[in-house]
Amino acid sequence: MQDLPSSVEPARFALCADAIAEAARELAALGWTPATSSNFSMRVNDELAAITISGRDKGRLGREDIMLVDMAGHAVGTPSRPSAETALHTQVYRRLPHAQVVLHTHSRTQSVASRLFAQAGLIRLEGWELQKAITGYTTHDSVLEVPVFPNTQHMPELVARVDAWLDAGRPLHAYLIDGHGIYTWGADMAEARRHLEALEFLLGCELDLRRLSA
């Protein structure tokens, strides 16, 4: 049971929880959240975010499967345990103030692409019309770099790698984790979903090109 702090209106939490649950069910139906994998969150206010509880079937989420965490990733008002990767969500909210939603999925395409491009350390997308689905990109002539970070169970190490990319002043709209999946975000659920769907398509195109040119 979620015990809401005084800074959170019940209606706001309900709105966030319902939006997360609905998106999770739809993404699960696409096969992008196998075996309870993946995690989703939404900023509630400047101090708190709503996030999926660890280990829940993403195709069957309801409001009771969403909890609050603070921006340090600590559970708020519940004994439930948040996703093991909560620190990656709260990092986005701390570093990118415009971000209101973070989506992390494990589609087959994302997982295979993460392994294929792991040695290069990034996927360089250019020439694809659908790059314009990513906020800030207005032409296929642009270059969209999606870093691929090494996988680890030690979240501070992953957080440090993302921080280093941002600290270098490099644009970041999404990233892959080797053998894992993708993280992307947006100013609202619609934008985050658009980014996720566009990147899934673009990664699939890159894999097809590799396969056809082999």
Side-chain angles (χ1 to χ4, degrees), residues 45-141:
N45 57 33
D46 289 341
E47 290 80 35
L48 300 171
I51 193 167
T52 45
I53 294 175
S54 180
R56 303 294 170 89
D57 183 342
K58 303 310 183 295
R60 300 175 180 271
L61 292 189
R63 194 177 295 176
E64 68 279 4
D65 300 302
I66 313 299
M67 62 180 288
L68 287 174
V69 293
D70 62 23
M71 290 304 166
H74 302 131
V76 174
T78 176
S80 296
R81 183 167 58 91
S83 165
E85 297 161 23
T86 296
L88 300 177
H89 289 253
T90 55
Q91 177 185 39
V92 171
Y93 297 131
R94 292 195 311 271
R95 293 297 307 263
L96 305 173
H98 69 278
Q100 300 296 313
V101 176
V102 178
L103 303 177
H104 168 52
T105 52
H106 288 246
S107 79
R108 186 183 184 91
T109 294
Q110 296 154 18
S111 300
V112 172
S114 74
R115 298 303 306 273
L116 183 63
F117 291 94
Q119 186 171 1
L122 61 83
I123 301 174
R124 184 181 173 91
L125 298 167
E126 54 184 324
W128 301 108
E129 182 70 11
L130 210 65
Q131 288 166 216
K132 297 193 300 184
I134 307 301
T135 297
Y137 288 79
T138 60
T139 173
H140 67 282
D141 287 329

Side-chain angles (χ1 to χ4, degrees), residues 1-5 7-21 42-45 48-53 62-69 76-78:
M1 188 69 167
Q2 179 69 62
D3 183 17
L4 298 177
S7 61
V8 177
E9 291 289 336
R12 173 60 181 167
F13 175 76
L15 177 71
C16 293
D18 290 347
I20 292 169
M42 181 176 286
R43 192 194 296 267
V44 174
N45 57 33
L48 300 171
I51 193 167
T52 45
I53 294 175
R63 194 177 295 176
E64 68 279 4
D65 300 302
I66 313 299
M67 62 180 288
L68 287 174
V69 293
V76 174
T78 176

